mmCIF file of all heavy atoms in Angstrom:
data_model
loop_
_atom_site.group_PDB
_atom_site.id
_atom_site.type_symbol
_atom_site.label_atom_id
_atom_site.label_comp_id
_atom_site.label_asym_id
_atom_site.label_seq_id
_atom_site.Cartn_x
_atom_site.Cartn_y
_atom_site.Cartn_z
ATOM 1 N N ILE A 16 44.183 -81.513 -103.817
ATOM 2 C CA ILE A 16 45.020 -80.315 -103.725
ATOM 3 C C ILE A 16 44.353 -79.405 -102.708
ATOM 4 O O ILE A 16 43.084 -79.165 -102.850
ATOM 5 C CB ILE A 16 45.237 -79.600 -105.119
ATOM 6 C CG1 ILE A 16 46.010 -80.475 -106.024
ATOM 7 C CG2 ILE A 16 45.765 -78.223 -104.972
ATOM 8 C CD1 ILE A 16 46.174 -79.992 -107.433
ATOM 9 N N THR A 17 45.145 -78.856 -101.828
ATOM 10 C CA THR A 17 44.607 -77.852 -100.961
ATOM 11 C C THR A 17 45.238 -76.453 -101.327
ATOM 12 O O THR A 17 46.306 -76.442 -101.851
ATOM 13 C CB THR A 17 45.012 -78.197 -99.420
ATOM 14 O OG1 THR A 17 46.382 -78.108 -99.232
ATOM 15 C CG2 THR A 17 44.471 -79.556 -99.070
ATOM 16 N N HIS A 18 44.472 -75.453 -101.008
ATOM 17 C CA HIS A 18 44.900 -74.046 -101.503
ATOM 18 C C HIS A 18 45.373 -73.162 -100.418
ATOM 19 O O HIS A 18 45.851 -72.038 -100.702
ATOM 20 C CB HIS A 18 43.783 -73.462 -102.175
ATOM 21 C CG HIS A 18 43.390 -74.348 -103.463
ATOM 22 N ND1 HIS A 18 42.405 -75.253 -103.391
ATOM 23 C CD2 HIS A 18 43.916 -74.455 -104.649
ATOM 24 C CE1 HIS A 18 42.319 -75.867 -104.596
ATOM 25 N NE2 HIS A 18 43.255 -75.386 -105.386
ATOM 26 N N ASN A 19 45.288 -73.680 -99.164
ATOM 27 C CA ASN A 19 45.830 -72.891 -98.100
ATOM 28 C C ASN A 19 45.895 -73.879 -96.768
ATOM 29 O O ASN A 19 45.455 -75.019 -96.819
ATOM 30 C CB ASN A 19 44.878 -71.625 -97.738
ATOM 31 C CG ASN A 19 43.499 -72.053 -97.433
ATOM 32 O OD1 ASN A 19 43.146 -72.870 -96.615
ATOM 33 N ND2 ASN A 19 42.575 -71.477 -98.300
ATOM 34 N N GLU A 20 46.540 -73.310 -95.662
ATOM 35 C CA GLU A 20 46.711 -74.000 -94.479
ATOM 36 C C GLU A 20 45.460 -74.541 -93.967
ATOM 37 O O GLU A 20 45.323 -75.785 -93.575
ATOM 38 C CB GLU A 20 47.462 -73.083 -93.514
ATOM 39 C CG GLU A 20 48.105 -73.843 -92.378
ATOM 40 C CD GLU A 20 48.980 -72.952 -91.575
ATOM 41 O OE1 GLU A 20 49.222 -71.821 -92.002
ATOM 42 O OE2 GLU A 20 49.270 -73.366 -90.447
ATOM 43 N N THR A 21 44.334 -73.784 -93.936
ATOM 44 C CA THR A 21 43.142 -74.238 -93.381
ATOM 45 C C THR A 21 42.500 -75.415 -94.029
ATOM 46 O O THR A 21 42.083 -76.351 -93.438
ATOM 47 C CB THR A 21 42.040 -72.969 -93.449
ATOM 48 O OG1 THR A 21 42.602 -71.932 -92.728
ATOM 49 C CG2 THR A 21 40.772 -73.427 -92.668
ATOM 50 N N GLU A 22 42.655 -75.455 -95.379
ATOM 51 C CA GLU A 22 42.153 -76.549 -96.151
ATOM 52 C C GLU A 22 42.922 -77.835 -95.768
ATOM 53 O O GLU A 22 42.317 -78.996 -95.752
ATOM 54 C CB GLU A 22 42.212 -76.329 -97.665
ATOM 55 C CG GLU A 22 41.102 -75.346 -98.188
ATOM 56 C CD GLU A 22 41.171 -75.248 -99.700
ATOM 57 O OE1 GLU A 22 41.778 -76.005 -100.472
ATOM 58 O OE2 GLU A 22 40.613 -74.305 -100.181
ATOM 59 N N THR A 23 44.200 -77.717 -95.629
ATOM 60 C CA THR A 23 44.973 -78.946 -95.241
ATOM 61 C C THR A 23 44.619 -79.471 -93.903
ATOM 62 O O THR A 23 44.397 -80.627 -93.652
ATOM 63 C CB THR A 23 46.576 -78.595 -95.265
ATOM 64 O OG1 THR A 23 46.892 -78.194 -96.579
ATOM 65 C CG2 THR A 23 47.366 -79.849 -94.904
ATOM 66 N N GLU A 24 44.332 -78.455 -92.955
ATOM 67 C CA GLU A 24 43.975 -78.909 -91.632
ATOM 68 C C GLU A 24 42.508 -79.497 -91.566
ATOM 69 O O GLU A 24 42.352 -80.473 -90.881
ATOM 70 C CB GLU A 24 44.045 -77.612 -90.679
ATOM 71 C CG GLU A 24 44.099 -77.960 -89.282
ATOM 72 C CD GLU A 24 44.341 -76.840 -88.316
ATOM 73 O OE1 GLU A 24 45.148 -75.919 -88.570
ATOM 74 O OE2 GLU A 24 43.595 -76.795 -87.325
ATOM 75 N N GLY A 44 57.230 -85.763 -97.268
ATOM 76 C CA GLY A 44 57.277 -84.432 -97.859
ATOM 77 C C GLY A 44 58.358 -83.606 -97.327
ATOM 78 O O GLY A 44 58.771 -83.768 -96.143
ATOM 79 N N ASP A 45 58.807 -82.641 -98.106
ATOM 80 C CA ASP A 45 59.920 -81.701 -97.654
ATOM 81 C C ASP A 45 59.499 -80.858 -96.468
ATOM 82 O O ASP A 45 58.298 -80.771 -96.189
ATOM 83 C CB ASP A 45 60.315 -80.778 -98.732
ATOM 84 C CG ASP A 45 61.131 -81.622 -99.881
ATOM 85 O OD1 ASP A 45 61.594 -82.601 -99.586
ATOM 86 O OD2 ASP A 45 61.052 -81.039 -101.045
ATOM 87 N N LEU A 46 60.480 -80.136 -95.823
ATOM 88 C CA LEU A 46 60.145 -79.179 -94.892
ATOM 89 C C LEU A 46 59.259 -78.179 -95.389
ATOM 90 O O LEU A 46 59.375 -77.696 -96.523
ATOM 91 C CB LEU A 46 61.474 -78.499 -94.456
ATOM 92 C CG LEU A 46 62.403 -79.128 -93.361
ATOM 93 C CD1 LEU A 46 63.641 -78.358 -93.170
ATOM 94 C CD2 LEU A 46 61.645 -79.344 -92.081
ATOM 95 N N GLY A 47 58.121 -77.843 -94.599
ATOM 96 C CA GLY A 47 57.273 -76.866 -95.120
ATOM 97 C C GLY A 47 56.120 -77.322 -95.995
ATOM 98 O O GLY A 47 55.304 -76.623 -96.503
ATOM 99 N N ALA A 48 56.139 -78.698 -96.335
ATOM 100 C CA ALA A 48 55.112 -79.333 -97.196
ATOM 101 C C ALA A 48 53.763 -79.299 -96.540
ATOM 102 O O ALA A 48 52.671 -79.410 -97.304
ATOM 103 C CB ALA A 48 55.599 -80.717 -97.642
ATOM 104 N N GLY A 49 53.703 -79.244 -95.169
ATOM 105 C CA GLY A 49 52.475 -79.293 -94.564
ATOM 106 C C GLY A 49 52.153 -80.466 -93.698
ATOM 107 O O GLY A 49 50.979 -80.759 -93.288
ATOM 108 N N LYS A 50 53.080 -81.297 -93.365
ATOM 109 C CA LYS A 50 52.895 -82.538 -92.652
ATOM 110 C C LYS A 50 52.333 -82.182 -91.177
ATOM 111 O O LYS A 50 51.343 -82.871 -90.710
ATOM 112 C CB LYS A 50 54.190 -83.372 -92.468
ATOM 113 C CG LYS A 50 54.940 -83.684 -93.831
ATOM 114 C CD LYS A 50 56.108 -84.441 -93.689
ATOM 115 C CE LYS A 50 57.350 -83.678 -93.064
ATOM 116 N NZ LYS A 50 57.749 -82.444 -93.950
ATOM 117 N N THR A 51 52.933 -81.212 -90.521
ATOM 118 C CA THR A 51 52.524 -80.899 -89.154
ATOM 119 C C THR A 51 51.120 -80.283 -89.235
ATOM 120 O O THR A 51 50.222 -80.519 -88.403
ATOM 121 C CB THR A 51 53.520 -80.044 -88.526
ATOM 122 O OG1 THR A 51 54.752 -80.626 -88.349
ATOM 123 C CG2 THR A 51 53.087 -79.662 -87.022
ATOM 124 N N CYS A 52 50.899 -79.468 -90.232
ATOM 125 C CA CYS A 52 49.572 -78.759 -90.436
ATOM 126 C C CYS A 52 48.526 -79.858 -90.616
ATOM 127 O O CYS A 52 47.495 -79.923 -89.978
ATOM 128 C CB CYS A 52 49.595 -77.984 -91.688
ATOM 129 S SG CYS A 52 48.041 -77.172 -92.088
ATOM 130 N N LEU A 53 48.744 -80.985 -91.372
ATOM 131 C CA LEU A 53 47.881 -81.977 -91.606
ATOM 132 C C LEU A 53 47.612 -82.795 -90.301
ATOM 133 O O LEU A 53 46.504 -83.088 -89.905
ATOM 134 C CB LEU A 53 48.326 -83.029 -92.631
ATOM 135 C CG LEU A 53 47.341 -84.001 -93.083
ATOM 136 C CD1 LEU A 53 46.213 -83.504 -93.968
ATOM 137 C CD2 LEU A 53 48.115 -85.158 -93.898
ATOM 138 N N THR A 54 48.722 -82.984 -89.478
ATOM 139 C CA THR A 54 48.601 -83.728 -88.321
ATOM 140 C C THR A 54 47.811 -82.915 -87.300
ATOM 141 O O THR A 54 47.023 -83.452 -86.557
ATOM 142 C CB THR A 54 49.991 -83.853 -87.689
ATOM 143 O OG1 THR A 54 50.804 -84.543 -88.717
ATOM 144 C CG2 THR A 54 49.976 -84.815 -86.450
ATOM 145 N N ARG A 55 47.939 -81.651 -87.271
ATOM 146 C CA ARG A 55 47.060 -80.717 -86.390
ATOM 147 C C ARG A 55 45.581 -80.928 -86.635
ATOM 148 O O ARG A 55 44.784 -81.042 -85.705
ATOM 149 C CB ARG A 55 47.471 -79.264 -86.633
ATOM 150 C CG ARG A 55 47.162 -78.289 -85.561
ATOM 151 C CD ARG A 55 47.911 -76.896 -85.904
ATOM 152 N NE ARG A 55 49.279 -76.983 -85.704
ATOM 153 C CZ ARG A 55 50.106 -76.490 -86.570
ATOM 154 N NH1 ARG A 55 49.746 -75.870 -87.701
ATOM 155 N NH2 ARG A 55 51.398 -76.450 -86.272
ATOM 156 N N SER A 69 55.337 -79.473 -83.939
ATOM 157 C CA SER A 69 56.210 -80.538 -84.559
ATOM 158 C C SER A 69 57.028 -81.042 -83.465
ATOM 159 O O SER A 69 57.648 -80.391 -82.637
ATOM 160 C CB SER A 69 57.006 -79.944 -85.676
ATOM 161 O OG SER A 69 57.456 -81.018 -86.381
ATOM 162 N N HIS A 88 52.303 -88.930 -82.351
ATOM 163 C CA HIS A 88 52.770 -88.079 -83.402
ATOM 164 C C HIS A 88 54.268 -88.136 -83.355
ATOM 165 O O HIS A 88 54.875 -87.608 -82.457
ATOM 166 C CB HIS A 88 52.182 -86.592 -83.224
ATOM 167 C CG HIS A 88 52.671 -85.668 -84.245
ATOM 168 N ND1 HIS A 88 52.700 -84.295 -83.985
ATOM 169 C CD2 HIS A 88 53.197 -85.861 -85.507
ATOM 170 C CE1 HIS A 88 53.191 -83.664 -85.087
ATOM 171 N NE2 HIS A 88 53.501 -84.520 -85.956
ATOM 172 N N ASP A 90 58.127 -87.610 -85.420
ATOM 173 C CA ASP A 90 58.935 -86.927 -86.352
ATOM 174 C C ASP A 90 60.225 -87.457 -86.533
ATOM 175 O O ASP A 90 61.059 -87.418 -85.450
ATOM 176 C CB ASP A 90 58.864 -85.348 -85.967
ATOM 177 C CG ASP A 90 59.460 -84.519 -87.147
ATOM 178 O OD1 ASP A 90 60.378 -85.000 -87.750
ATOM 179 O OD2 ASP A 90 59.034 -83.405 -87.286
ATOM 180 N N GLU A 119 55.824 -88.255 -89.304
ATOM 181 C CA GLU A 119 56.434 -87.270 -90.299
ATOM 182 C C GLU A 119 57.773 -87.798 -90.642
ATOM 183 O O GLU A 119 58.485 -88.474 -89.811
ATOM 184 C CB GLU A 119 56.699 -85.884 -89.732
ATOM 185 C CG GLU A 119 55.331 -85.245 -89.322
ATOM 186 C CD GLU A 119 55.332 -83.842 -88.963
ATOM 187 O OE1 GLU A 119 56.142 -83.020 -89.643
ATOM 188 O OE2 GLU A 119 54.604 -83.342 -88.163
ATOM 189 N N TRP A 120 58.276 -87.702 -91.943
ATOM 190 C CA TRP A 120 59.571 -88.244 -92.470
ATOM 191 C C TRP A 120 59.415 -89.780 -92.386
ATOM 192 O O TRP A 120 60.466 -90.413 -92.015
ATOM 193 C CB TRP A 120 60.717 -87.677 -91.784
ATOM 194 C CG TRP A 120 60.799 -86.226 -91.960
ATOM 195 C CD1 TRP A 120 60.329 -85.250 -91.079
ATOM 196 C CD2 TRP A 120 61.326 -85.459 -93.085
ATOM 197 N NE1 TRP A 120 60.518 -84.014 -91.593
ATOM 198 C CE2 TRP A 120 61.202 -84.090 -92.816
ATOM 199 C CE3 TRP A 120 62.044 -85.867 -94.302
ATOM 200 C CZ2 TRP A 120 61.660 -83.094 -93.636
ATOM 201 C CZ3 TRP A 120 62.442 -84.878 -95.132
ATOM 202 C CH2 TRP A 120 62.176 -83.500 -94.760
ATOM 203 N N LEU A 137 53.156 -85.291 -99.488
ATOM 204 C CA LEU A 137 52.763 -83.890 -99.606
ATOM 205 C C LEU A 137 53.827 -83.158 -100.470
ATOM 206 O O LEU A 137 55.005 -83.216 -100.140
ATOM 207 C CB LEU A 137 52.615 -83.195 -98.194
ATOM 208 C CG LEU A 137 51.543 -83.759 -97.307
ATOM 209 C CD1 LEU A 137 52.270 -84.834 -96.383
ATOM 210 C CD2 LEU A 137 50.947 -82.698 -96.388
ATOM 211 N N ASP A 141 53.049 -74.372 -104.968
ATOM 212 C CA ASP A 141 53.496 -72.908 -104.964
ATOM 213 C C ASP A 141 53.429 -72.545 -103.436
ATOM 214 O O ASP A 141 53.281 -73.479 -102.572
ATOM 215 C CB ASP A 141 52.560 -72.104 -105.907
ATOM 216 C CG ASP A 141 51.185 -72.093 -105.600
ATOM 217 O OD1 ASP A 141 50.839 -72.218 -104.411
ATOM 218 O OD2 ASP A 141 50.275 -72.160 -106.569
ATOM 219 N N ASP A 142 53.449 -71.179 -103.189
ATOM 220 C CA ASP A 142 53.413 -70.770 -101.802
ATOM 221 C C ASP A 142 52.302 -71.293 -100.925
ATOM 222 O O ASP A 142 52.422 -71.675 -99.848
ATOM 223 C CB ASP A 142 53.333 -69.240 -101.783
ATOM 224 C CG ASP A 142 54.784 -68.536 -102.055
ATOM 225 O OD1 ASP A 142 55.708 -69.352 -102.195
ATOM 226 O OD2 ASP A 142 54.720 -67.320 -102.104
ATOM 227 N N THR A 143 51.086 -71.461 -101.613
ATOM 228 C CA THR A 143 49.993 -71.836 -100.806
ATOM 229 C C THR A 143 49.122 -73.050 -101.242
ATOM 230 O O THR A 143 48.119 -73.318 -100.674
ATOM 231 C CB THR A 143 48.959 -70.676 -100.667
ATOM 232 O OG1 THR A 143 48.664 -70.208 -102.055
ATOM 233 C CG2 THR A 143 49.596 -69.441 -100.070
ATOM 234 N N SER A 144 49.627 -73.670 -102.285
ATOM 235 C CA SER A 144 48.993 -74.936 -102.760
ATOM 236 C C SER A 144 49.835 -76.167 -102.478
ATOM 237 O O SER A 144 51.068 -76.120 -102.652
ATOM 238 C CB SER A 144 48.674 -74.871 -104.254
ATOM 239 O OG SER A 144 47.909 -73.809 -104.522
ATOM 240 N N ARG A 145 49.136 -77.204 -101.921
ATOM 241 C CA ARG A 145 49.954 -78.461 -101.684
ATOM 242 C C ARG A 145 49.076 -79.585 -102.370
ATOM 243 O O ARG A 145 47.869 -79.584 -102.276
ATOM 244 C CB ARG A 145 49.862 -78.693 -100.287
ATOM 245 C CG ARG A 145 50.549 -77.600 -99.408
ATOM 246 C CD ARG A 145 52.025 -77.491 -99.587
ATOM 247 N NE ARG A 145 52.677 -76.617 -98.796
ATOM 248 C CZ ARG A 145 53.065 -75.369 -99.030
ATOM 249 N NH1 ARG A 145 52.589 -74.829 -100.177
ATOM 250 N NH2 ARG A 145 53.602 -74.592 -98.246
ATOM 251 N N GLU A 146 49.834 -80.506 -102.997
ATOM 252 C CA GLU A 146 49.292 -81.719 -103.490
ATOM 253 C C GLU A 146 49.468 -82.892 -102.576
ATOM 254 O O GLU A 146 50.604 -83.151 -102.144
ATOM 255 C CB GLU A 146 49.921 -82.087 -104.945
ATOM 256 C CG GLU A 146 49.219 -83.212 -105.516
ATOM 257 C CD GLU A 146 49.986 -83.575 -106.883
ATOM 258 O OE1 GLU A 146 51.158 -84.093 -106.785
ATOM 259 O OE2 GLU A 146 49.341 -83.348 -107.926
ATOM 260 N N LEU A 147 48.316 -83.574 -102.232
ATOM 261 C CA LEU A 147 48.562 -84.751 -101.304
ATOM 262 C C LEU A 147 48.117 -86.051 -102.176
ATOM 263 O O LEU A 147 47.077 -86.020 -102.650
ATOM 264 C CB LEU A 147 47.485 -84.614 -100.058
ATOM 265 C CG LEU A 147 47.905 -83.464 -99.219
ATOM 266 C CD1 LEU A 147 47.259 -82.185 -99.509
ATOM 267 C CD2 LEU A 147 47.402 -83.828 -97.751
HETATM 268 P P1 ADP B 27 56.169 -79.714 -92.401
HETATM 269 O O1 ADP B 27 55.628 -80.274 -91.038
HETATM 270 O O2 ADP B 27 55.852 -80.593 -93.611
HETATM 271 O O3 ADP B 27 57.561 -79.210 -92.342
HETATM 272 P P2 ADP B 27 54.397 -77.461 -91.609
HETATM 273 O O4 ADP B 27 53.079 -78.097 -91.525
HETATM 274 O O5 ADP B 27 55.104 -77.270 -90.348
HETATM 275 O O6 ADP B 27 55.231 -78.369 -92.721
HETATM 276 O O7 ADP B 27 54.433 -76.146 -92.299
HETATM 277 C C1 ADP B 27 53.747 -75.875 -93.579
HETATM 278 C C2 ADP B 27 54.019 -74.401 -94.052
HETATM 279 O O8 ADP B 27 53.486 -74.110 -95.289
HETATM 280 C C3 ADP B 27 53.297 -73.404 -92.947
HETATM 281 O O9 ADP B 27 54.114 -72.342 -92.799
HETATM 282 C C4 ADP B 27 52.024 -73.127 -93.625
HETATM 283 O O10 ADP B 27 51.541 -71.869 -93.307
HETATM 284 C C5 ADP B 27 52.412 -73.091 -95.161
HETATM 285 N N1 ADP B 27 51.342 -73.396 -96.049
HETATM 286 C C6 ADP B 27 51.031 -72.689 -97.081
HETATM 287 N N2 ADP B 27 49.975 -73.269 -97.769
HETATM 288 C C7 ADP B 27 49.774 -74.396 -97.159
HETATM 289 C C8 ADP B 27 48.786 -75.515 -97.426
HETATM 290 N N3 ADP B 27 47.951 -75.537 -98.541
HETATM 291 N N4 ADP B 27 48.725 -76.552 -96.544
HETATM 292 C C9 ADP B 27 49.625 -76.546 -95.461
HETATM 293 N N5 ADP B 27 50.523 -75.608 -95.209
HETATM 294 C C10 ADP B 27 50.576 -74.588 -96.051
#
Side-chain angles (χ1 to χ4, degrees):
I16 291 175
T17 64
H18 301 92
N19 54 57
E20 196 171 346
T21 305
E22 283 186 18
T23 300
E24 201 173 315
D45 289 342
L46 275 176
K50 301 180 294 299
T51 301
C52 177
L53 186 73
T54 309
R55 202 171 286 134
S69 202
H88 177 201
D90 188 325
E119 298 190 37
W120 299 95
L137 298 93
D141 58 38
D142 280 358
T143 57
S144 300
R145 302 290 186 267
E146 184 181 70
L147 291 88

